[in-house]
Amino acid sequence: MSKPLPTTLRTHFTALRALLVLTVILGIAYPLLITGISQAAFTDKANGSPVTSDGKEAGSSLIGQNFNLPKKNPDDPKEEARPDPKWFQPRPSAAGTGYDASSSSASNLGPNSEDLLKAVEDRRAAVAAFDGVDPASVPADALTASGSGLDPHISVAYAREQVDRVAGNRGLPVEAVTKLVDKYTESRSLGFLGNEGVNVVLLNKALSEQK
């Protein structure tokens, strides 16, 4: 008759078996099950909510983008980006060079920061001139970045401020562009959290499909 294993050794074998079983269940079976369910029921969201244009993936509806004119000298790192007047513009972004998903961040500048105050005033003047409006009417989200630096939404006020500029540069009726803004205005989360917003990525995609 063989001797029973020492208590310590039995405990180690029990723990090892539990580890293996839980690894199979929680590390393999459960992730595969959830992945299968998400791919079957929520394919678009499970794959990052991609946005396609002309049959090609052009980004994600979850992450904002810059809509700038091509650089005159692509090799000059000091050349500042120029917003393209034919597109609705997003809010500023502190993520990398702007909306860099690998560098999500805020500016971390407080309300008493002289750098932030100067940046806000510079942006106010630039946005007002770009959209042809009174500087006092420029919405706050046109002047400050979101906490993540990736938010694709702007306020309804900022979207409507840009309608005349976009319509004029594209030769489209103002009413048609206004209807697009209304169509892509999203309601508050759960009906009461936050404010209404407009997803610039989806709005510009729809704009690109206008004739």
Side-chain angles (χ1 to χ4, degrees):
M1 183 175 181
S2 60
K3 294 181 180 181
L5 292 173
T7 302
T8 302
L9 197 56
R10 287 205 310 273
T11 301
H12 288 168
F13 275 122
T14 300
L16 180 60
R17 288 198 297 269
L19 173 64
L20 293 175
V21 170
L22 292 174
T23 297
V24 171
I25 295 175
L26 301 178
I28 300 176
Y30 179 74
L32 288 176
L33 174 64
I34 297 302
T35 300
I37 293 174
S38 62
Q39 287 292 338
F42 312 101
T43 304
D44 183 70
K45 293 181 179 180
N47 291 321
S49 301
V51 172
T52 57
S53 179
D54 295 327
K56 299 179 181 179
E57 190 169 311
S60 167
S61 62
L62 302 177
I63 300 176
Q65 296 181 28
N66 290 312
F67 293 88
N68 296 326
L69 291 166
K71 283 188 173 184
K72 295 180 179 179
N73 185 0
D75 298 326
D76 184 3
K78 295 183 179 180
E79 182 182 344
E80 294 186 1
R82 297 169 297 145
D84 192 332
K86 297 193 301 295
W87 299 103
F88 283 91
Q89 293 297 316
R91 65 188 303 179
S93 171
T97 56
Y99 294 101
D100 182 352
S102 65
S103 301
S104 175
S105 67
S107 67
N108 292 328
L109 297 177
N112 295 325
S113 167
E114 293 184 2
D115 290 339
L116 177 62
L117 295 176
K118 183 179 184 305
V120 166
E121 289 309 311
D122 289 346
R123 289 168 183 165
R124 189 190 307 278
V127 171
F130 189 61
D131 290 334
V133 298
D134 186 336
S137 69
V138 176
D141 59 303
L143 310 174
T144 56
S146 66
S148 67
L150 305 178
D151 186 2
H153 295 86
I154 59 174
S155 65
V156 178
Y158 188 28
R160 288 177 177 168
E161 176 186 291
Q162 302 183 61
V163 166
D164 287 347
R165 177 204 6 109
V166 171
N169 278 277
R170 286 184 171 270
L172 293 172
V174 170
E175 295 78 7
V177 179
T178 301
K179 286 182 179 179
L180 278 182
V181 171
D182 293 339
K183 180 179 180 180
Y184 285 91
T185 295
E186 300 177 6
S187 59
R188 299 180 178 186
S189 300
L190 301 179
F192 66 95
L193 294 176
N195 298 307
E196 291 182 330
V198 181
N199 190 310
V200 177
V201 175
L202 296 180
L203 176 59
N204 279 339
K205 177 181 183 297
L207 186 64
S208 70
E209 297 169 352
Q210 297 296 302
K211 303 297 183 183

